[in-house]
Structures are given as C-alpha cells and as structure tokens.
Amino acid sequence: MAGKSQKGRSRRGAQNSTNYSEQMVPSDATTKGSLSDVKHSNAGANGLLTQSESPGTKTEAKESEAATSVDRPKQGDLHLYPVSVKTLGGEKLELQLNPGDSVMDVRQFLLDAPETCYFTCYDLLLHMKDETVHHLEDHNEISEVADITTGNCSLEMVAASYDDRSIRAHVYRTRELLSLSTLHASLSTSLALQHEATHGTSSVDPVKTEVLELDGLGFMEDVAASLSNFLSSPSKEIRSVESIVFSSFNPPPSYRRLAGDLIYLDVITLEGNKYCITGTTKFFHVNSSTGDILDPRPIKANFESTTLIGLLQKISSKFKKAFREILERKASAHPFENVQSLLPPNSWLGLYPVPDHKRDAARAEEALTLSYGSDLLGMQRDWNEELQACRDFPHTTPQERILRDRALYKVTSDFVDAASNGAIGVISRCIPPINPTDPECFHMYVHNNIFYSFAVDADLEQLPKRHASVNNPKIEGSINSLKNTDENDGNSSCFKVSNGCISESDGSNPSELSGATGLPTETQLAESEQATYASANNDLKGTKAYQEADVPGLYNLAMAIIDYRGHRVIAQSVLPGILQGDKSESLIYGSVDNGKKIYWNEDFHSKVVKAAKTLHLKEHEVLDEAGNVFKLAGPVECKGIVGSDDRHYLLDLMRVTPRDANYNGPGSRFCVLRPELVTAFCQKAEAAEKTKGKSSVEEEHVAAPDLPNVADVNDLVEDKADPASASDSQFAAKVQKNETLQECGSTPTASSCQEIYFNPNVFTEFKLAGTPEEIAADEENVKKATQYLTDVVLPKFIQDLCTLEVSPMDGQTLTEALHAHGINIRYIGKVAEMTKHLPHLWDLCSSEVVVRSAKHIIKDVLRDTEDHDIGPAISHLFNCLFGNCQIVGAKGANSMQSKTQKKENSGKSSRGQSRWKSGASERKNQPSYMSINSESLWSDIQEFAKIKYQFEMPEDARARVKKVSVIRNLCQKVGVTIVAHKYELGAAAPFQTSDILNLQPVVKHSVPVCSEAKDLVETGKLQLAEGMLSEAYTLFSEAFSILQQVTGPMHREVANCCRYLAMVLYHAGDMAGAIIQQHKELIINERCLGLDHPDTAHSYGNMALFYHGLNQTELALRHMSRALLLLSLSSGPDHPDVAATFINVAMMYQDIGKMDTALRYLQEALKKNERLLGEEHIQTAVCYHALAIAFNCMGAYKLSHQHEKKTYDILVKQLGEEDSRTRDSQNWMKTFKMREIQMNAQKQKGQVLNAASAQKAVDILKANPDLMHAFQAAANSGGTTSSSNTSVKKSLNAAIASEVGAHPRGRGVDERAARAAAEVRKKAAARGLLIRPHGVPVQAVPPLTQLLNIINSGMTPDSSTNNEEMEVANTKVEDGNLSNVQETATEEKPKLDKEDQAPVGLGKGLSALDSKKQKMKQKAAA
C-alpha cells in the first residue's frame, strides 16, 4: 500500500510502532480479533465493568457482529479464518485473518501481542494444508500469496538478519516498550477501578456522595480554581533499567564490521551493573569491554539473545520482573488507551507543579538530529505519488473501497503530521528557501517533498490604526492597492513561481505599480501576489470539495495550513515536474494572470464539468483580455496543470462556491458562501418544485459536526410560521431527508427535477461572456442564495438556539454549528445581535468575537517577536487582555502607531517572515510587545470586531467577558499551553512568564472521511427512529467495523458509532453493554477532541446516567462531577446544559434518598434557567416539574401541586392546551391534588402519622430557609415574560436521568439521539418489541422514604409509589411526554413482569445481565 514501505521498519516506524505502521490495525485487532488481543486486552477492555459484567457480554458483542457479517454480507462483512502462529519464542498464537489482510496487518497484530511485541526483525512463512510453504513479502495481501480459506494454515516467524537500519529500529522499539508514556489512561477508567477496589459491590456510601455534592456546587462558582483539578497526574513509570544508550565505541571498527558487529550499546541495570552490549547481524551479546578499550569477546556463552529484551531478561532479574509488570499494566488498560492517535489535539493546559526535567540519555540522543518531519533512516516519501496512487486504487467492491479509504486516510494523516513538523522548521528559519534572492515575502521552501509558502493576514490591514490614523499617504495607498488588487490574493505563489509565471502577474510591471501608488515594488508585489488567510482557508475548502467529488482523472494536491508563532504557512505536496526546469507549457486550463490570458483544453474541461455538477457550479463563458470566449466550469483563477506524471491537476480552488452578495466591497473578494448553504439552497429549491402542492414535514436541523452537508433546508419558512408544529415523526423525516440530500449532493441525476447551478465568477472583476439576461439570471441566483442565508437560515438558526435545539457550549462548537447550517463566521456579529435576549448566547458570541480579534493582534505581535522574547511576550499580552497592564512612561496607542508606521514603511514586515530583519535596532532598546497596554489592546480588539464582524462591543465588554472560557479558547486558537493552576484573574498581571509552557502549531487539514460508514450510520439512525433496535444495532456495528479498518479507533466518527451503539443497548435495557460502548466513546473523545471538549463532558454525563441505571450511584455522581467541571471550563457556569446536568444530579440524589441535596441542585437549576432562558421557557417548566416530583417523594403534595401548576401554566402559554405534554401536566396536577385530598382524608379518619418522620421533611425545609422562600416565591409568582416559541421536543423531564440527559440537548448528533428515543418507544411498542423500562431506581430506604411511606399509607408501604413515580417520570423523558400517567401499582405491575423477556432481535447476549440486575433490584428494595 502506498507509503507504508518507507516507514514500515524505519526508526520512526519502530518508535511509533502503534501509531505508525498501520495505525488502523490495532483497530482491526478489535474487529478481527487476534487471540492475543482477546487474551490480554479484552480482560482489561472493560475492566471497569467487572462487577456487573457477565462473562458472556463481550463475546456476545463479538458473536452479534459475526452474525451480522454472515446474515448480511454488506460493506463491513469480514469472513475470518483461524491461523495459528509459531513465534520465535516457541509459543503458539491463534489469529483470526481475512484473506484481504496485508502482511503488514499481520505484523501489526504480532507487534501488539504481548508474546511477540519485542520481535521486530523476522520473516513470515505461510505453511499450507498441502505442506507447501510461502514466503510472505510485507506489501502483499495474503490472498495474493495463497488461499487461507482452505483451512489448516499456519504462520511461522523465522529470525531474519539485522542490518544497520533494522537494528536501530529494534533499539527504539525496545525503549518504547519499556515506557508507559504511550498509555493514555482515562479518568473514567480509574474512577471505575477505584470504585471497584473500594466497594466491590454497588452499594452507595453516603459520606462520599456528600463530599462530592459540596464539591460539585462549589467549583461551579469559582471556575478559575477548577483549573487545578482538571489534569490528573500521568501514570507512574515502572522502572526496568537505568539506561540504554548508544555506546561511544560506535561505529564498529572496520575489522569488527567484517565479523558482523553493527552497533554497541551501554546498559546500566537496576542492580547497578554496567554492561557493554554488541548488536550483530544475528543476535545481541554482552562483550568483555570494561574501560575505554573495546574488547569484543562475548563475556559468557549464554549471555546472548536474538532480541535486546531477551538479553536484558538474562542479565537482570529486576528487569525481568519489571518488564512483566509493564506488560500487565498495558494489558489491563482499555485497548483504546494503548492506541496512538494520529493527529492528537493540542492541550492548552499543562501539569502543575511543572514536572522535574530529568536526565534521559535516550531522549537527548533522539533530539540531536533536526529532522523536521523527514525520515532520517530512509528515502524521502513522495507524498504526491502516494496520494494519487491511493486515489487510483480500484473501488468497485466494498472491500476495495475500505482499502482505498484506509490508504488515503493513512497517507493524508502522515502528510499533515510531516507538514506541521516541517512548517516549524520553516518558521524557525532552520530550512533554507529555494529562492533566497527573491523578496522575503515570496520565499518558498521545499523540505521532505513538501512545498511551503507564506500567507498574510489581510484582515489586520483594515484596522484604521494601520493606515488612516498615521496620516501617511504611502501607507494609505498601500492599503487601497491591497483592496483594489486583491483579486490576486489567492494565487498561491507556489504555482505562479513554479510555473515561471510570476512575470505574467500583476506585479509584472513594477514601474507602473509604484507609479500608481508611490510604493516600493516589493510592497506592491507583496500585496498583490501573496496568498491571504482567507484565500488559504478557501483553497483548503475547495480542495476538500473536489476530493469529495472524486472525479476519475482529476487530481488535487495534499494540503495543510499551519499557524505557528504568528505566521501562517501553506504546505502542499510537490506537483510532479514543477521544480525541474521551465514547465509553463504544462498549464492547460484556467489563468495565472487573473483572466488576461486564459488556457483551455477539452479533455480537462470535461473532467472539471463532472466535478462542477456535484458542486452545483455552472458551465459558463468568460472573456480574456483579447476578447476571446472560453467555456469554464470553475473560477477563472483556478489552474489546470499536466504534471510530469501525465496526471491532470486542478489547483488554486479559492472560489468553488459563489460570492456572498452581502459582501461585495473592496477587500471582500474571498467572502464566498459556504458549501453547506449552497447544498441546502439547491435542495430547498428542488424540494419546492417537487412538492408544490404538498405541505412537507418540518425539518429539524442539528449542528452535527460529523455531517457537513446536513441542511436545514426544506420548508424553513414553514418552520418560522409554525414552530410548534412538531410531531414524533420528525426525526425519521429528518434523517430520511438528510440521506436523500447527501445522495443528491454526490450523484445528481438527470431524471431529477431541474437542478440549480451557480456561476462562481459573477460579482467579480472577470469579464463574463453570454447575454446580459443570462448574466443577470446568474447574478439573481447568487443573490437568492445570499438572501436565503439572511432571511431563512439565520432566523432559523436563531430560533434553534432559543429553543435549545442547537446548544453550543464554546467557541469551537458554536463555529461548528454555524458552519453546519451554512453560515459563515463573519455573520457572528449578526447572530450576537439577534440573541441579545439570551445572556448565555450573547456572551458566547461576544467572547468568540473577542478571541478571534485578539488572535489576529497577538499573532501580529508574535511575528515581530524575537525567539527569546516569546514567553514574556505571550504572558504580557495575556496580562493586557485579562489583567490591567499600564505601560509606565509610554503612550500606548501612539507607540503602537509608530511601530505600525515603521512596519508599513519597511514594506514587508508583516509579509512572509521578515520579522527578524526590519526594525532590529529599535527592538534592541525595547521589545515591540512592551509598547502595548490593556487600553490599546482592547481598543484594537473593538475596532477589529467592528470592521471584521460588524460587532459593536459594549463599553463594559472587558468586565463581562468570561475569563476562563476566553483564555481556553484563545490558547486553543493560538496554540499556547499554560500551567493548570488557579489564576488570580482580578489581579493587574495574573500571568507570569513561567506560566507559559509551550507554543504549538495549529493545523487545518482535509483528511478524508469514509462515506461508506457515514451512509450506514445515517440508515442506522433511521432504523433507530423506527424503533427497529436490532436492525439499528447491526448497521451501527457495521459502520463501526468499517471505520475501525479505515481510520483505526481514534477517530471522531468511531466515537459517534459507539454513542449510537450505547444508545441502542440502553433502549434494549442492557446497561452494562451500553456502558462498554459509552466508555469507548469517552476515551476516543478525550484523545481526539481533547480532555475538556464539550463532547467529552457529555460523554461523562452519559456514563453517569448509565452507571446510575446499574445502581452505582456514587460512581455516577463522580462522573457527573467531572462532567460539571468540564462544562464549567468550556462554557462557564451560566449555561442551560449546566442547569440540565444539575437536574440529573438532583434526580440521582433523590433516588438515594438525599432529598435535601436534591432540592438544592433543583433550586440552582431553576435559578439558572429563569435567569438565562426566562421564566416561561419550557426548560424552566422542566425544573418546576422536577421540583413537583421531588416534593411528591417527600409527601409534600401541596407544594407538588403548586409547582406542577406552574409547569402547566408555562406549557399552556407555549404549546396550547391541546398539546399532549400540557395534558400530561394536567394529569399530574390531578394526581397530586388527589393524593393531597387522600392524605387529608386519612388524617380525618384518625390514622396516626409518624410525627417524627413527618417532622423530618419540615426540618429539611427549615434548615434551608432559602429553599423554603425560593419555592414558595416560585409557586406563588406568575411570571408573564414570554420567551420565544420553544421546541416541543424538549422534554418536560428533559434532564431527569434518562435519554435526554443521556444524550444531552443540542450537542450535534445527541440532539437526534434524544428525538430518536421518543420514536423508539412508540414504534417499538406498536411492533410488539418489548423494551425494558430502563433506569428504574432502586430505593435505599432512608428515613425520608419511610416518611413518604407513612404519609402515603394508603399506598403500599414498600416505597413502590416512589418507584412508580420515578419510573413514570423516567419512561417518557426523552420526548417530554408525561403521558399515560398510571398511578396505581396494579397498572404498573405488568410492565415489571415484562422485564424478564429479552428484547426481540438482539440475541440472548444483550439481556445476559437481566437476572443479575433483577436480583440487585430485589435485594435493594428488600
């Protein structure tokens, strides 16, 4: 497979073996199931579940998956055949192999198996049934060599000879095996293991939960203090040897080379003995050297072994013991915690106190060589050839598509990794340019077969301070010329220069330019030619769009954008032949000089037209300068080039969507519409044609990061008219639509109604041919799309935000939500304006604007900062932003202006990387960053926000900003890592230089996704919505299996599959199975998205709810505590999701009888919702209903009735009296009233109540007078302010420990999950599919519950009423229906009887835990 060979056995390959050589194989290990995995990993895979997991659970999942493969031979089908392996150590292993596996896959299996993990140099022989023996080459597939389907095949590992390269790789692999740094333990795993060690059972320790509760309410108030609780200390290393280093005897003298010596190592064992070890072509042995002279003779005959670890085990007993411990530790971890993540996220927090930096000779050795991403031990990889070769793989059968997707994913990920390392070298000036005589802003670099060029931040040039305010006509001219000539911005210099075309561009006549503006030629060149941030972003999006269109014969380059130390570098794979001589005649399509001369080729054009259809681009005519007419199907400035490999490459795809007609002034050339919007608009238009007479079902849109083309298109206008007209079939309708949307998007058919195509060159300076009517129609099309964005999409998005359909938590999720709706970030100012009435949303938008504006200014300062000043500069800028920095004796703004003036006059300072040359003398006196103070920084931010985002920041913006959330967001965007301790954010200078730990590159890339798996997931959602659990399970398992093979387990899409699998199992009542899948999702989210990403927080919340379902409430509360900590970091304490989490926590406390704590959490949730959403929002009604249930459990029926009345009033106002939820609420009111009357009647009859117990309820309220007042006030007040119409799908019990809680609102696909849950119940009931009423809390019987029993003595005295009510509260939570409120125990009974039956279609395994759970429930109830 392309690209594997170079690193298969290389040093890096060995060094990162799990991550490098076929990273996806550990995933296969889970899917294809090598025995070693089963034996060692799976034991620990779900170690957290040992107390509740029956032995059958894991195998059941495997069996179910295997059954899937047999029953429906679809995309994910894997026919596995047992093959035994005879290892070098003489042991036998069983592997399950598929004929399509490559030999590299087998090697990876063996690299992961504990018995064979330290063998790196061996050949594989395949023994067949008929006694023939085949030698397996690394890059063969097994099926190419022999047919293993005949059975009775075995593999044999045979020791091969070492060479210089493989013996070094072996040493690196050995060091890696002896370290635990590759183990990424999740907090969830350690919590579960800790819980198991402490309890061994599922009992609840009230003392500990009490501590947790105080902790929970405490840290939400002081978010800054919670930073210190965020990172857990890394796993402690197990020492096995003092050191293993390359000896200073290296290299071996020539006469020893001839005897086979390759390498000498110095080893010090834990016993303190020093050994000099010789590595030869055959084995390692201890030689007799003691002093400074080499004595190559073996010291003892038996001190030799084919592996270094084998030898160390012979010479050190302590090593042998420690190595066993290391393997056991790795085997006890979840398999996903051992797997390397290909592109891990940057961490913005580092450990505090900062760990001591200790001597490590091995680490020092590896750092000696500056490789910047290139492979030192082999040839440089030809990235372009690898990528295009992978594109050319056959992809007709499902298995071929998997192999192709996998190869593409692997090569692209490796490219991004290498590109970001190389960019660091470029920016650090360690890699020389290939054109050193050109102006610095045009310097280009080639390293490791990757091409690098710089982009500039054109946005900063719009700041008035940069030009007008300095009253310098030269600079003003420069800015205007930038705006006027900015049509050239995007021609990334790489291609113009490489094609020898720079002379043809607008800089071709220097005298003309400088004459026009009075600027130096170099400045002009810089401004007209250099790629800008916007053009680079657009180019990446365009490249991705054409890659997804996947037109045969049309190729794109691999591309990544790297931001580091204030610079933006564009990295691309090298176009074949472009660096060898003059290749300008290879340009056959498009233009390099902005339409003056246009090239055209029929063959190329036909391919571009195919892609254009997918991208909704119109074939249209343009004129060149000479008046010739050309037919194009893309932007004029795109370039079609024939590489020296005869492939057709399409480059410079900055405008593959039409211009945004709202932004057509100077400087907005790259303001284009988002592809999601274009797709949505086209779908809407088509749907309108198809269903003219029909009123179509309202479509919900969810900001799903994993579904970029999801579009909230059809009938958004109808949505606006009737926001409450939702029905339970919405989820199904939505998924169905999204599926068809995606199909249409990828394969438009001629038979479909007339499609809409956009001309990308309207509203540009290019001359269009064609009739005026045609041009006007094209312009009208684009205007309609833009109008659709402002008139339909934006209001719908705002409505979704208000109703919590979409509930972004931080800047990243807000950006994803905007993009998924097709809204550009430049509209964020408008979004902020439209959400002023919701404080949490306004805060979120304004914080994002502040961060994005500050990012540009900080990066500009960093570009001008010397290497030794970077730490001080960042801490100073952070102090200006978050503290109150005044510069003594310097007028901040003026000095900033003079600095700017100097920079502008130098003509090139902010271009490219000339920071180290311009103005060096001034900086000797005082670094430029020192001239900035808080006032000047904030005024710059305000100006920038106004120009770029049309956002007027209020006067008190500095005071209102949520500091911790903004620090987090800014660190992530700039790549800064700070120390995780409590910062005094009220101080003038909260940051010290020592608080800045690191500055990392921030990378944007276009790593491809697997469309096969996405389709399966979409279909699975549909089945889930229909209530077909077994079918949904099958589809999600298939998608999981495919993704495991394509991307490996460490990918966001895999996490999605795990979440859905958890949901299906949860609905089927298999809590333990749900926890297994949820735990996988949690680990992947922590590793791929970050420890504090909102998705990770929701994963912890889901885990908590599942544990609660297994009656492990203390463990559940620990997970809830972590979820709250993470939410507080990303959104701050004021967010509806935090309130929803509080309700969940309250329900858990309620279930274990701690009513006082439950009431405090509910009060806090009510306060938050009233403050953030208004007194008449449905989420506020949720709180009142939860309080009504809580008071009902305490027997305070009068209070229950009052709170339910409040719920009812809100619902009547929001939904009307006829809505099912309103009627349910009415039923609850009647129930509470009836119980109150019943209780009074019992009193009159003379039934004696237990006065002491009754007093307890009163005491609780007396002990918390604030509770008493708050609840009475809430019950008596009748708020009138109406918040906007609310989505009826938000449950009344939204967060009462069930589906909506389990899949919290508004987090992308979780939203769908919640809605799907409603469908599942109804449809499943209709089909007779028995679904266990999940999460029935088991009541411990504390005094309060006894009180309830006595008060309700008309009911059964075993607290069954409490159970019933909570069950009713829990059963329908996900849809907000309080329906079918059957209050009597007799009506509830049949439900419980059904629990013993297994759900239809999911096999026996899924209900394997039933009996155990039932026993636990009975025990606790007793």
Side-chain angles (χ1 to χ4, degrees), residues 458-527:
D459 288 325
L460 266 180
E461 307 302 341
Q462 296 178 22
L463 278 184
K465 194 169 281 188
R466 299 269 173 212
H467 42 100
S469 60
V470 282
N471 296 322
N472 183 327
K474 276 190 175 182
I475 292 176
E476 219 164 309
S478 121
I479 299 304
N480 294 337
S481 90
L482 173 65
K483 289 181 178 175
N484 298 335
T485 60
D486 106 328
E487 60 269 14
N488 302 303
D489 278 359
N491 295 341
S492 58
S493 36
C494 105
F495 303 114
K496 292 190 300 296
V497 176
S498 324
N499 281 312
C501 301
I502 205 164
S503 54
E504 294 179 29
S505 54
D506 280 358
S508 60
N509 190 340
S511 56
E512 184 182 305
L513 286 174
S514 27
T517 57
L519 279 171
T521 311
E522 199 174 275
T523 310
Q524 264 299 244
L525 272 175
E527 286 169 347

Side-chain angles (χ1 to χ4, degrees), residues 373-433:
S374 60
D375 178 12
L376 297 174
L377 286 180
M379 301 178 303
Q380 287 195 333
R381 294 175 69 171
D382 186 340
W383 297 107
N384 191 67
E385 182 51 43
E386 286 186 29
L387 182 71
Q388 313 314 346
C390 293
R391 286 209 180 287
D392 290 336
F393 276 14
H395 49 282
T396 46
T397 68
Q399 197 58 40
E400 282 176 351
R401 285 196 291 275
I402 288 174
L403 288 173
R404 177 177 186 252
D405 287 349
R406 171 186 188 160
L408 281 170
Y409 177 77
K410 186 71 177 66
V411 171
T412 319
S413 301
D414 290 349
F415 169 80
V416 171
D417 184 46
S420 46
N421 282 320
I424 293 174
V426 166
I427 292 165
S428 309
R429 311 185 293 288
C430 296
I431 294 168

Side-chain angles (χ1 to χ4, degrees), residues 1310-1355:
D1310 284 345
E1311 186 59 33
R1312 304 180 159 209
R1315 268 193 288 298
E1319 272 319 285
V1320 169
R1321 298 247 163 237
K1322 268 192 184 169
K1323 300 265 169 61
R1327 294 172 69 241
L1329 180 63
L1330 305 175
I1331 297 185
R1332 184 170 301 108
H1334 49 274
V1336 182
V1338 171
Q1339 299 293 326
V1341 190
L1344 269 172
T1345 319
Q1346 290 167 4
L1347 158 68
L1348 171 67
N1349 296 339
I1350 295 161
I1351 292 175
N1352 295 335
S1353 51
M1355 317 278 171

Side-chain angles (χ1 to χ4, degrees), residues 708-894:
N709 284 338
V710 147
D712 54 327
V713 291
N714 298 344
D715 312 312
L716 293 186
V717 189
E718 285 83 339
D719 276 2
K720 282 203 294 186
D722 185 11
S725 68
S727 73
D728 286 328
S729 60
Q730 277 170 327
F731 182 83
K734 178 181 53 174
V735 176
Q736 178 79 57
K737 263 179 201 157
N738 287 338
E739 204 171 51
T740 49
L741 289 198
Q742 287 213 306
E743 283 167 15
C744 295
S746 54
T747 55
T749 56
S751 61
S752 69
C753 47
Q754 187 188 356
E755 296 211 22
I756 293 180
Y757 293 111
F758 294 99
N759 181 340
N761 294 315
V762 293
F763 298 120
T764 62
E765 69 291 348
F766 302 118
K767 297 171 193 163
L768 298 173
T771 63
E773 293 78 28
E774 200 182 330
I775 294 171
D778 287 348
E779 288 184 350
E780 189 54 35
N781 252 352
V782 173
K783 281 179 182 166
K784 275 183 188 166
T786 309
Q787 195 179 353
Y788 174 68
L789 169 62
T790 47
D791 296 354
V792 178
V793 176
L794 265 171
K796 175 68 170 75
F797 181 65
I798 301 301
Q799 184 194 326
D800 286 351
L801 287 173
C802 296
T803 60
L804 304 179
E805 286 297 301
V806 176
S807 180
M809 301 290 299
D810 63 352
Q812 188 183 345
T813 45
L814 175 65
T815 306
E816 283 169 359
L818 283 163
H819 286 171
H821 279 76
I823 302 168
N824 306 77
I825 285 292
R826 58 178 168 272
Y827 285 97
I828 194 170
K830 268 202 173 110
V831 174
E833 285 302 309
M834 295 162 84
T835 51
K836 267 193 165 162
H837 59 291
L838 294 174
H840 70 284
L841 289 172
W842 191 90
D843 282 348
L844 185 56
C845 293
S846 59
S847 297
E848 184 66 3
V849 170
V850 167
V851 169
R852 284 174 177 269
S853 306
K855 173 186 77 172
H856 283 275
I857 294 159
I858 287 174
K859 284 164 85 170
D860 187 48
V861 174
L862 287 179
R863 271 197 293 277
D864 271 346
T865 303
E866 298 287 350
D867 293 11
H868 54 267
D869 278 335
I870 286 179
I874 293 173
S875 60
H876 175 75
L877 289 165
F878 274 32
N879 285 333
C880 291
L881 192 58
F882 303 108
N884 190 8
C885 265
Q886 301 302 331
I887 305 298
V888 184
K891 291 179 185 173
N894 292 345

Side-chain angles (χ1 to χ4, degrees), residues 5 174 913 935:
S5 52
T174 301
Q913 46 172 1
E935 297 304 320

Side-chain angles (χ1 to χ4, degrees), residues 280-570:
T280 70
T281 53
K282 288 291 178 195
F283 47 73
F284 292 84
H285 67 260
V286 180
N287 63 40
S288 303
S289 311
T290 48
D292 294 339
I293 296 168
L294 175 70
D295 182 348
R297 293 170 304 160
I299 195 167
K300 274 188 192 171
N302 66 339
F303 271 19
E304 65 180 39
S305 170
T306 52
T307 63
L308 185 53
I309 282 180
L311 178 61
L312 291 170
Q313 285 178 325
K314 288 182 178 178
I315 60 178
S316 166
S317 56
K318 285 187 178 176
F319 174 86
K320 195 170 185 176
K321 184 183 171 202
F323 184 60
R324 195 181 307 117
E325 278 177 38
I326 289 170
L327 287 181
E328 281 168 6
R329 170 82 66 86
K330 286 185 176 179
S332 69
H334 192 286
F336 285 9
E337 293 174 343
N338 267 318
V339 178
Q340 291 300 304
S341 176
L342 273 191
L343 298 168
N346 290 341
S347 171
W348 67 282
L349 285 175
L351 285 171
Y352 181 79
V354 180
D356 296 328
H357 191 65
K358 296 179 180 167
R359 286 178 183 275
D360 183 343
R363 184 189 63 226
E365 225 166 59
E366 285 170 27
L368 281 177
T369 323
L370 298 171
S371 66
Y372 293 112
S374 60
D375 178 12
L376 297 174
L377 286 180
M379 301 178 303
Q380 287 195 333
R381 294 175 69 171
D382 186 340
W383 297 107
N384 191 67
E385 182 51 43
E386 286 186 29
L387 182 71
Q388 313 314 346
C390 293
R391 286 209 180 287
D392 290 336
F393 276 14
H395 49 282
T396 46
T397 68
Q399 197 58 40
E400 282 176 351
R401 285 196 291 275
I402 288 174
L403 288 173
R404 177 177 186 252
D405 287 349
R406 171 186 188 160
L408 281 170
Y409 177 77
K410 186 71 177 66
V411 171
T412 319
S413 301
D414 290 349
F415 169 80
V416 171
D417 184 46
S420 46
N421 282 320
I424 293 174
V426 166
I427 292 165
S428 309
R429 311 185 293 288
C430 296
I431 294 168
I434 57 174
N435 55 339
T437 56
D438 286 352
E440 271 184 292
C441 57
F442 287 129
H443 277 178
M444 292 170 297
Y445 307 78
V446 174
H447 171 70
N448 192 16
N449 277 327
I450 299 174
F451 183 96
Y452 298 94
S453 57
F454 282 95
V456 300
D457 190 349
D459 288 325
L460 266 180
E461 307 302 341
Q462 296 178 22
L463 278 184
K465 194 169 281 188
R466 299 269 173 212
H467 42 100
S469 60
V470 282
N471 296 322
N472 183 327
K474 276 190 175 182
I475 292 176
E476 219 164 309
S478 121
I479 299 304
N480 294 337
S481 90
L482 173 65
K483 289 181 178 175
N484 298 335
T485 60
D486 106 328
E487 60 269 14
N488 302 303
D489 278 359
N491 295 341
S492 58
S493 36
C494 105
F495 303 114
K496 292 190 300 296
V497 176
S498 324
N499 281 312
C501 301
I502 205 164
S503 54
E504 294 179 29
S505 54
D506 280 358
S508 60
N509 190 340
S511 56
E512 184 182 305
L513 286 174
S514 27
T517 57
L519 279 171
T521 311
E522 199 174 275
T523 310
Q524 264 299 244
L525 272 175
E527 286 169 347
S528 64
E529 286 297 321
Q530 184 114 33
T532 60
Y533 278 24
S535 69
N537 282 338
N538 287 0
D539 198 4
L540 184 67
K541 276 187 291 214
T543 304
K544 196 170 184 177
Y546 274 89
Q547 281 171 354
E548 284 169 6
D550 203 9
V551 174
L554 194 61
Y555 298 88
N556 302 99
L557 300 178
M559 181 177 178
I561 296 172
I562 298 99
D563 289 304
Y564 181 60
R565 280 179 56 168
H567 294 273
R568 170 162 285 191
V569 167
I570 304 165

Side-chain angles (χ1 to χ4, degrees), residues 51 98 269 565 1013 1113 1175:
Q51 75 267 28
N98 175 274
T269 63
R565 280 179 56 168
T1113 306
E1175 293 184 358

